[in-house]
Each structure stands twice: as C-alpha cells, then as structure tokens.
Amino acid sequence: MSKHQPVRGTHDLLPDDYRRFAHVVDTARDVARLYGYREMATPIFEFTELFARGIGETTDVVSKEMYTFADRGGESLTLRPEYTAGICRAFVSNGELTQQLPLKLFAAGPMFRYERPQKGRQRQFHQIDLEVLGAPEPGADIEVISVAADILDRLGILERCVLKVNSLGDPECRGVYRQVLVDYYTGHIDKLSEESKNRLQRNPLRILDSKDEGDKAINANAPSFTDHLNQASRDFFAAVKDGLTASGVPFEVDPALVRGLDYYTHTAFEFVTTHLGAQGTVLGGGRYDGLIAELGGPPTAGIGWAGGIERLMMLCNEPAPLPRPVAFAPLGPAAEAKALAIARTLRRAGIAVEQDYRGNMKRRMQRANKLGARAVVIIGDDELAKGMAQLKDLDSGAQREVALDALVDALKG
RNA sequence: GCGGCCGUAGCUCAGUUGGUUAGAGCGCCAGAUUGUGAUUCUGGAUGUCGCCGGUUCAAUUCCGGUCGGCCGCCCCA
C-alpha cells in the first residue's frame, strides 16, 4: 500500500473529480474570454533566481516552500510556486508582447509548494490566473476583480465568498508606514507573541492580522495604513473602490489584508470563504507595478490574481451532467459489424454512442444502464434482415422498431 | 516548521477489555428457461485490520518508529 501511495500532498484526479476540475477551468476561461483575455502558458519550472528576485527572498514561499533542484547541467531550477513571476519573465523574454499593451492574459496550471498538507492545501495544486500588464490605471484593477467576481458567480459560489480589498500604497508611503509600524511594535515588543516578533523583521504589516489575543490588544492602537497613504495612493484606492461600486461588485475594506508576496503595491484583494476551514482564501491578488522592472524588463505596471482550483472545486455545485449516450446491443458477428458503421454515422451527427466489446443481451443491457445511456439500439439477425433495429428507451422501457437509416432522426429528436 | 486527532473490505463505518474462521450497509460478481437493463428475490467473494519493529505463549487490538490523511497555528490558492 505505502509504496503505491502518491507523494505526500499530491492527488490523483479521477474522472469524476476531473470533470469538476475541468468545469472550474472551462468556466474561468470562458469568462476571461468575454473580457478579451487570451490564454497562454509558461514552463512549469524556471531559474530559481526568477522567483527569489520576483517574489522576495524573505517571503515564506521563497525561503521555505520552494521545490528547488539542480539539473544535470548544474543550473538551480525551481518548480513554480505561483504564476505571476513566470508570466512577467515571459513578457520580458518575448519582445513582441511589449507591443501589445495593455496585455490581458489568462492561464491555468499546476503550482508546487513544500507545505504541510491539509484540506485545501496541497504540495501540487492548481491555479487559474489572470494578469493585465501595462495598465497603471485603476480601471485595470476594477476589471480584473470584476472578472473574478463573474467567474465565482458563474460557478455559483460568489454568495459564499466575501471580497476584501485594501491598499498597500506605493513604495514611498509603504516604506514610511512600515517604519512607523516597526517603531510602534518595538515599543511593545515585550508583549508581542513570538510569532509576531519574527514578523517584525520580515513583514511587520502581517502583525496587524495576528490571531494572538495579546497581539490583538496591541493592534487596537496601532497606527493605521489609511492615515499614512500619500495622496496619490489615496486617490488610486478611491478610484478602485468607486469603480467596484459602479460595477456592482460588493466588497469590504480590510485594513489588515496584507499579502505574503513582496511585489504587491496599491491594490490587494482576496475572495475569502468561511466554508473551507483555515484555507479561506479562494482567489487573491493585487497590483505589482515594480515587478517587471525588478526582473530587468521595461518599467511596466501589472495587476492580476490567482485562484485555487481545488478550493474552488470544493465550493462548487456539480457541473451540468454530460449528455447521455446511446448504447448498442448487437447480437452476433454480422450485427456487430453493422453496428460499427451505424455508430460512426450517429457520432458524426453529434450523438454520443457507447459501444461495449462483448457480452450477450443481458450484459449489454446492464452495461448500458450503468453507463447512464438514454436508449439502446438492439440489432440481431432478424432486425438485420429487415434493415431495422429495436430502439429501446431506458427511462420508459418502451421499445419500437426503427429503420436503420432513420436512427439519426429518431435519436436526435 | 509547531501542536493535536486519525489510518479495519472498492466506499461509509462497527468490532476485538490481547486469544480459534474480523463484521454491517452500499457497491461488486453469479443465478431466478433460450434475444431485454434499472426494480425484486437467492447465493457468493471481499481484507497482509497503512507499513516496520518491540513487548507477549499469543497483537488488528498495547508500546515505539515510519508513511499518509485530517484539525488548529503559520502561510497562502
């Protein structure tokens, strides 16, 4: 048993699971297309350097969660832990893309993070991803969030989610605020939780979100980012909020919303749910105006998000059932041969046909029933001689004789 | 990375206060007259009781380790 176990934190997607998986991706792709986003893909692994520089050396993702290995040539490579860095790298690598601004992209695929698995948290997981490059305007933020809301709506889970938004300001006021926070918490360092003492070095904004009761008390009087946003950041955030309201996308401002990737600026947002335990974030993202320049590309604004497909699947309603097939029950070699030809004709007419490979009448009927077939086409020597088939409706049990060349019409209606 | 819970047939689970052949429901397989499913009836098979080791006359049951899942923290999708 144990040697047949999949690697920790990985899962097989069996056909029934995969249908729901594909439903999420298909729905997202359809909605993205409605907004003019084009799908693309980047490699699953990149040079380690890309993620280290892009996401930030001190982030948890980079410092302890990456699948990094040396290839046979000695290059340090990393299985992508998120999509944005790879897409930005592709933007820098492919000059033609810089002439298509604003560039609107959709992508989906597997991501890898070495974490302790839980429900909704795997080591290989999958994301849908949306990015707009080259649009510094708040309109892009509004649009990107609106696409997300529409996808969640189409999946039937929007009402089980809350959209939280926040502004992380621009680098200028964020640096100022960060220092103000560090000063404040340093003054209370003896009462801070161990966890938060660590955060003070790496990401002090994160302390605002602490679940520790002692930290919460200190947070009550902590200086707020809202008071430290500069005018440009304030205006930008206001425009985003107004746009969301105008679009009819409900949201809550959450001043404690901080994202764990260093590249975010201005808008940060998450769709969260209370239905998935500790893994409440279903889709999240933000603006990253400095990332592409940081990677050595032309200074280009960016905004986007990623959604966890497995998490979305868990919230989703069952996708629409597949169209029910027609099954064949040919009896004898002559009928089997004839059935092959008829089945192809039916399929060319768009009718799904299931063909079993063996068995008598009883077995064929049982298989048909198990496959969820709506009807069975029965052809034996008698029928063959007359150029007819017995057509049995499996729901009503009714059976009638139909000419072989009339089957398409009989099954289409 | 930290703390905790759990691991018995394909699935959901019961059970053994350590002791001959480990159970149920669902599902699966086979029959109920030769070319008719689903429904009903009858019968059948489920299994290294996660894996390795220890204690014991004896372990699926106790202990340790390990692998995996789950819950909370952390982090995030």
Side-chain angles (χ1 to χ4, degrees):
Chain A
M1 189 69 143
S2 78
K3 53 187 155 187
H4 299 294
Q5 277 173 349
V7 172
R8 181 170 211 199
T10 67
H11 291 290
D12 298 311
L13 278 169
L14 270 25
D16 285 342
D17 302 323
Y18 196 85
R19 224 175 98 241
R20 298 187 306 128
F21 181 94
H23 177 238
V24 170
V25 178
D26 292 347
T27 301
R29 179 185 293 119
D30 285 353
V31 172
R33 192 179 291 136
L34 290 177
Y35 279 82
Y37 287 69
R38 293 178 295 157
E39 186 164 7
M40 68 171 282
T42 66
I44 282 174
F45 50 87
E46 300 270 0
F47 292 116
T48 302
E49 170 71 7
L50 172 68
F51 301 116
R53 287 190 59 172
I55 300 171
E57 298 273 10
T58 63
T59 60
D60 280 18
V61 169
V62 170
S63 63
K64 46 194 187 196
E65 295 177 2
M66 294 207 302
Y67 275 94
T68 296
F69 59 97
D71 74 4
R72 287 169 186 276
E75 295 283 5
S76 179
L77 306 180
T78 294
L79 263 30
R80 64 185 181 200
E82 57 103 51
Y83 223 142
T84 304
I87 286 182
C88 289
R89 193 232 82 225
F91 175 79
V92 177
S93 303
N94 298 277
E96 64 197 277
L97 295 179
T98 63
Q99 298 173 25
Q100 301 173 19
L101 306 184
L103 186 61
K104 303 183 177 188
L105 302 169
F106 172 77
M111 305 295 154
F112 305 85
R113 258 122 95 156
Y114 189 88
E115 289 190 277
R116 184 143 169 190
Q118 266 179 52
K119 192 190 190 77
R121 187 211 263 179
Q122 299 162 210
R123 289 183 174 184
Q124 176 178 340
F125 61 102
H126 300 79
Q127 291 185 331
I128 50 176
D129 186 276
L130 196 85
E131 313 284 350
V132 178
L133 303 184
E137 301 84 358
D141 306 50
I142 296 159
E143 179 174 278
V144 141
I145 293 172
S146 172
V147 177
D150 284 0
I151 290 169
L152 297 179
D153 189 37
R154 281 260 280 257
L155 290 172
I157 61 184
L158 186 57
E159 61 273 17
R160 271 169 279 177
C161 296
V162 174
L163 168 60
K164 298 192 169 180
V165 300
N166 191 23
S167 173
L168 303 177
D170 59 21
E172 181 204 339
C173 59
R174 186 163 162 190
V176 171
Y177 177 62
R178 187 187 160 106
Q179 195 52 52
V180 169
L181 261 192
V182 170
D183 292 347
Y184 173 78
Y185 286 122
T186 304
H188 297 80
I189 192 146
D190 46 320
K191 291 182 203 141
L192 230 41
S193 67
E194 281 310 308
E195 202 80 59
S196 289
K197 281 178 191 162
N198 284 329
R199 287 192 270 230
L200 194 52
Q201 319 301 325
R202 300 199 321 270
N203 194 348
L205 304 217
R206 190 112 254 159
I207 302 174
L208 292 167
D209 202 18
S210 176
K211 287 168 192 167
D212 181 87
E213 288 305 322
D215 290 350
K216 282 182 183 172
I218 299 171
N219 283 337
N221 298 311
S224 113
F225 204 161
T226 320
D227 299 335
H228 291 80
L229 287 177
N230 56 23
Q231 195 57 47
S233 298
R234 238 175 252 258
D235 292 345
F236 193 94
F237 193 31
V240 171
K241 288 185 286 188
D242 289 348
L244 289 175
T245 303
S247 303
V249 178
F251 64 92
E252 288 175 10
V253 173
D254 180 359
L257 174 60
V258 177
R259 313 221 78 235
L261 284 52
D262 280 356
Y263 52 59
Y264 287 116
T265 57
H266 289 294
T267 312
F269 61 92
E270 287 182 356
F271 285 86
V272 298
T273 180
T274 54
H275 297 253
L276 293 179
Q279 273 59 246
T281 302
V282 141
L283 185 152
R287 180 165 278 279
Y288 48 89
D289 288 345
L291 177 57
I292 291 173
E294 171 68 28
L295 296 177
T300 308
I303 176 153
W305 52 252
I309 297 176
E310 286 85 356
R311 291 183 186 179
L312 292 165
M313 280 167 69
M314 289 189 282
L315 291 174
C316 252
N317 305 320
E318 280 302 304
L322 296 166
R324 298 169 67 194
V326 171
F328 269 54
L331 303 165
E336 280 183 33
K338 187 68 181 171
L340 291 174
I342 300 169
R344 285 195 76 198
T345 306
L346 294 183
R347 293 192 187 106
R348 276 193 287 256
I351 298 164
V353 177
E354 284 274 1
Q355 243 170 352
D356 204 355
Y357 309 120
R358 70 173 82 91
N360 57 17
M361 176 72 110
K362 187 184 179 85
R363 182 197 144 91
R364 304 244 188 201
M365 293 299 291
Q366 280 175 337
R367 280 282 295 170
N369 192 61
K370 216 166 280 180
L371 291 165
R374 56 195 237 251
V376 181
V377 174
I378 301 164
I379 309 173
D381 292 337
D382 298 349
E383 286 81 10
L384 216 47
K386 291 186 286 184
M388 308 289 275
Q390 297 290 336
L391 181 57
K392 173 158 182 160
D393 183 301
L394 283 180
D395 291 328
S396 66
Q399 186 167 318
R400 67 197 165 100
E401 205 166 54
V402 177
L404 291 179
D405 55 16
L407 275 174
V408 170
D409 289 338
L411 289 167
K412 269 216 146 154

